[in-house]
Every structure is written in C-alpha cells, then in structure tokens.
Amino acid sequence: MRLKTLIQYHLWDYKRAIMIFYGIIITLFIIFAIVNLISPQRINVSVGGLEIASIIFIFVAGVASFTEIFYFSLINGVSRKTQFLAFTGSMFSLAAIMAAVDSVFGFISLRLAEVQNLFAVFYGAKYQGVASLQLFVDRFLWMLVIYTLIAITGYLISMIYYHSNKTTKLIVSILPPVFFIIVLPLIDSMTSFKIFAWLRGLLLRMLGLYNNVNPYIAIFSTLVAVAIVSFFNYLLISKAEVKN
Amino acid sequence: MAFIDIRNLTKKFGATTALCKINLRLEKNKIYGLLGRNGAGKTTLLNIMTNKLIPTEGEVLIEGQCVKENDAVLSRIYCMNEKKLYPESLTVNEVFYWSQKFYSSFDQAYAAELSQLFGLKTRKKISELSTGYSSVFKIIVALASNAEIILLDEPILGLDANHRDLFYKELLKNYSINPRTIVISTHLIEEVSDIIEEVIIISKGKTLLFDTVENLLSQGYTVSGSSTAVENYIAGKNVLGVDSLGGLKSAYILDQLNRAELPEGLEISKLDLQKLFVHLTNSKEVV
C-alpha cells in the first residue's frame, strides 16, 4: 500500500513540471506547423529535438527526486527498499508516459512538418517500407528504456553527491571530465588511437548499429544498463541516512 | 515482552560514538520524557527508532518485530522531528492529504480542528511557516496521525507560552481519549514534568537514568524560607542548587527528608526536576 502511495506521490510531484514541459512543446509544435502551413517552402525542425528535450527533462526529474522525497518518505515511515521500488516504478511510469506522448507527437509532427527524430536518424533505414505501426511501437520501446535509464542515472548521481563529503564531491565532479577530456585522449594517442576505435565499436554494437541496423539490440543493452544502475541505486539508498 | 525493546543500541558517526549500548524497555500507553543535554544522543535515538538512521549495532523491536526496513512496523510509529523533513514547496493542506495516504488512521478533520485552534493557516507553504508555526504544524501532524507510538523531538521549539499551554492540554486530551506510547524529547523539563510518567536521561550517548518521575522526585526535596534559616538548614547537606528572591531562599536538596530536624518557618515542597537533571548530567558518571 505504501509502495502504491509513494508512486502516486512521485507522479503527483512531477505533474506540474510535465504539464509545463509539454505545454511549451505543444506551443512550439503549433507555431512550427502554422509557419510551415503558411510558408511557401517546407521547413526543417531541429533533428531529434523532442527526444533530447525529454531526455534533459527526465534526467533533471531523476536528479531532483532523491533528497526531498527521501526525507518525506522517511518521516512517513517508508522503508528504503520500498522507496527504491517506488522510485524505479514511478520513473518507469513517467518514462512510459513521456515515451507515449513523444511517440504520438512524432507521429503527428511527421504529417505537419519535416521533422526528424533521433530514432529515425539511427534506425530509419530499417523501416523503409515497413508499416508505421511497427515503427511507432519500436520507437516507443526504445524511448521507454532510454528515458528510464537516464532518469535512474540522474537519481544515482544525486545519491552519490548525497553520500559524499565536500572533498569527495569535488573529486566526483572533476575526475570524470578530466579523465574523458584529457587523460583518455592522451592514452588513445599513445596507443595509435585504438582505445577510441574500440569504444566506438562497442557503442555501435550496443546501439545495434554495427554492420546492420537493429533497435532491439539497443533496447536490450539499455535494459542491461538499467539493471546495473538500479543495482547501484539500491546499494546507495540502503545505506542512506538523514543528515544531522 | 516489552512493547518497545531497545537492545544494545550503538551508533557511530565516524570516530564519534553518538549512542553506546543503549538498552531500554518501554511499556505500552505510557508517556516518557527523553532528557539529555545538547549532543547527548536524543535525536539519534529517535531517528534510529524510526529507521531514519541505521544503527551500527543493536536493534529496536516493537512487540518483537524489528523496526529496521520494516514498513508494517514503521506504519505504527510517527516521529515529529526537530529538523525540517517535509518538502518546503508543499502546503500544510497537502501534507495533511498525503499524511492520510501514508497513515491510514490519520484524522484530517482533527488536523483541521487543531489548525484552527492553534491559528495555523493551512494554505501556507511549509517554507512560509515561522519556527513556532513550523513546530505547531508538526505537532498537529503528529497528534492527528493516530499512530500507536508518537515520538516528539523538541516539540515546543519556538512556541510561545499560549501555544505551549495549548499543546500540553491537547496532548493530554488526545492521550486520555486514545492512549498510546508517547516519547517527548525536550529541554524544558519543568514544563513536561507533570505530563511524563517515566524519565529517560541520556548523557554522552549512554543511559544515565531510567525511572519514574515519582521515584526521582522522592530522592530529594525543596526547602524554602528566610535566607538565614535556609542557609543554616542546608549546611552540610547535598544541595543541588539555591534560588534567592529578596530575603527568601529556596534550596534543592538531594537527600531523604527528616522532618524531626526541620526548623520552624521552613516550608517543604517537591524536588525541582530541572535542578535534579542539571545535577545528574553534570556530575554523575554514566554506566
């Protein structure tokens, strides 16, 4: 019962932000559609704009979901394991809602303007001549897992910061950018650029873009990543305490 | 079996030991006073009792069931914390609404009634409440929660005299209608001495004393009268403290009263709990 209530609270908490977010998106789509209708030439709307915007939104939602709701849940006698399940459940629900809305927007917008989306850019080749329903379903599933992964990663980052003292926060903030921007390219150049080539290959395989185009591989890889991040989320929340 | 059984509870924060092997057995439907100086470990104890902190060692059991990560047991306890734990963007009404969702026995009508009584504006956001009204708001949620166990951490923080009086009256009224186990952690000992039945004093993370108020107060007495008479009488006795007002004095003595040696003109009354607390927490070695 508490699990259900906490999921309801999470979704209630996001409700206003989602309405504002999609209010802006709808307004922009209407403006683009009107401009496109009255313009003598069809215009191109930015590639993957909606998915990128949704990814940023859900990442922020994930980051913002920890401290406040953790305290609120504790004062209402909700255990950490229930909190973990409620967060994962609510983020999956939020991701499903957003993926569904984005899929519908994507479907409608294709008929209103020359809109490209991230999924079409990656996997468009697979759907040449295929019924649009399959494209709709596959795109929805792809967005669902991607959005879920992004949201729970935001939550993980928020918890890492919560557990860290000032020094650890500084290290956590500086070390990854320094590693990826300076150290890794340096090592890469010293090893005849094999590291980045290997990473590129790995990423393409995980995204189902190596040799042929297969979004189901991307969905599977993302699900594995969701499981790994969730495992760390559970570890961190099970050790989290109210700060004195 | 004790209703609340605190077994060998230890909590360490790095090198600091906040609680050290605390053992307490609390009975059902009693009001306990949890006393201790700043940093004694009162809030830490209450936070462990409600799963907000994880003990380093030991456990808290409610009717034999461990509190840690146990939703069913946690739903029987409500802890009003001194720290602000509610989302600041919520209104008081929204907190009442969600409290009812989490605590099925939460009485929204009673919460509304208390809000009116205390003059709390329920449309206000938590962030807009003053320190006093923040305490009032948390007291209302605690009383209306109807939980079997209510833990109140510094409930009268920032309350004016009227609100404090109102709080004590409502607490007793609520308790008489619906008896439950209540633990009040406070610094204003004298004010709660008439409400609490048993006293738990913790000092430096250890249990210093756990006894009934009656037993504690029977360990000494207060003698009042003219300054000269009081000074003569208390010479050589274990005096906890002395208050003077004009030519009158009151001395707090930790000893058994021998009425035969009491000179005329001196009056005897019960011991001041606050004075006893200060004496105990200043001098006694914890065990």
Side-chain angles (χ1 to χ4, degrees), chain A residues 121-227:
Chain A
V121 170
F122 288 160
Y123 308 104
K126 181 181 163 65
Y127 298 92
Q128 300 297 333
V130 178
S132 57
L133 180 66
Q134 193 185 338
L135 170 65
F136 183 89
V137 172
D138 289 354
R139 185 171 174 239
F140 168 79
L141 290 174
W142 181 78
M143 282 190 291
L144 172 64
V145 291
I146 295 280
Y147 290 175
T148 306
L149 177 65
I150 295 293
I152 64 172
T153 305
Y155 193 69
L156 177 70
I157 291 168
S158 184
M159 276 201 288
I160 289 171
Y161 275 85
Y162 184 81
H163 279 276
S164 307
N165 56 27
K166 277 183 184 172
T167 316
T168 321
K169 271 180 195 162
L170 203 67
I171 293 167
V172 167
S173 307
I174 293 171
L175 215 61
V178 168
F179 179 76
F180 286 108
I181 296 168
I182 300 168
V183 181
L184 203 60
L186 201 69
I187 299 169
D188 189 46
S189 65
M190 288 159 70
T191 54
S192 311
F193 305 103
K194 281 178 183 167
I195 293 175
F196 274 126
W198 181 81
L199 281 174
R200 187 174 158 274
L202 179 71
L203 195 67
L204 286 175
R205 277 187 178 88
M206 285 168 66
L207 288 172
L209 297 169
Y210 197 78
N211 290 336
N212 62 346
V213 175
N214 189 346
Y216 303 116
I217 293 175
I219 291 169
F220 177 75
S221 310
T222 312
L223 278 174
V224 172
V226 165

Side-chain angles (χ1 to χ4, degrees), chain B residues 2-192:
Chain B
F3 183 54
I4 303 175
D5 195 354
I6 298 168
R7 290 182 184 170
N8 212 26
L9 206 64
T10 298
K11 179 65 186 174
K12 291 180 181 174
F13 295 103
T16 309
T17 303
L19 290 178
C20 183
K21 295 182 176 164
I22 296 274
N23 285 289
L24 294 168
R25 291 165 73 84
L26 309 187
E27 289 171 40
K28 203 171 185 173
N29 301 338
K30 269 194 173 181
I31 304 180
Y32 293 88
L34 179 62
L35 314 178
R37 297 177 66 179
N38 287 333
K42 304 186 296 292
T43 301
T44 303
L45 177 62
L46 297 183
N47 279 338
I48 293 175
M49 287 172 77
T50 45
N51 196 42
K52 292 183 188 78
L53 289 175
I54 301 161
T56 310
E57 275 176 46
E59 57 185 355
V60 178
L61 306 172
I62 310 288
E63 287 187 321
Q65 283 190 293
C66 188
V67 161
K68 192 179 168 188
E69 291 298 280
N70 189 333
D71 284 300
V73 176
L74 289 168
S75 68
R76 298 169 68 185
I77 316 169
Y78 182 85
C79 178
M80 172 206 163
N81 277 75
E82 185 190 341
K83 191 179 160 76
K84 287 183 178 178
L85 296 179
Y86 284 101
E88 302 253 300
S89 58
L90 292 188
T91 65
V92 172
N93 272 331
E94 284 169 342
V95 172
F96 289 167
Y97 170 79
W98 284 105
S99 298
Q100 201 271 325
K101 290 263 188 186
F102 286 105
Y103 288 90
S104 53
S105 52
F106 186 90
D107 189 340
Q108 286 212 62
Y110 180 50
E113 186 191 319
L114 286 178
S115 300
Q116 207 167 19
L117 198 65
F118 279 93
L120 175 67
K121 288 175 181 151
T122 55
R123 286 184 183 175
K124 272 195 168 185
K125 287 186 174 178
I126 307 302
S127 59
E128 294 167 353
L129 299 176
S130 65
T131 309
Y133 271 105
S134 184
S135 292
V136 164
F137 151 72
K138 288 185 276 185
I139 284 168
I140 293 172
V141 179
L143 293 179
S145 74
N146 279 322
E148 282 176 70
I149 302 162
I150 296 179
L151 311 177
L152 303 166
D153 190 9
E154 298 292 351
I156 45 184
L157 188 77
L159 295 192
D160 61 30
N162 288 340
H163 276 160
R164 288 210 300 270
D165 191 45
L166 204 54
F167 162 64
Y168 296 127
K169 279 181 186 162
E170 275 306 317
L171 183 71
L172 285 177
K173 189 175 146 194
N174 185 293
Y175 177 74
S176 60
I177 296 167
N178 188 3
R180 64 193 76 194
T181 307
I182 299 172
V183 180
I184 308 172
S185 161
T186 181
H187 287 100
L188 296 172
I189 300 153
E190 208 46 44
E191 283 192 14
V192 294

Side-chain angles (χ1 to χ4, degrees), chain B residues 241-257:
Chain B
V242 179
D243 288 334
S244 301
L245 184 68
L248 297 173
K249 262 190 179 167
S250 290
Y252 309 98
I253 297 161
L254 190 65
D255 204 350
Q256 290 306 310
L257 172 67

Side-chain angles (χ1 to χ4, degrees), chain A residues 30-48:
Chain A
I30 290 169
I31 291 168
F32 280 129
I34 292 169
V35 169
N36 195 43
L37 283 172
I38 59 173
S39 169
Q41 288 180 317
R42 282 172 76 83
I43 54 163
N44 274 311
V45 180
S46 63
V47 174

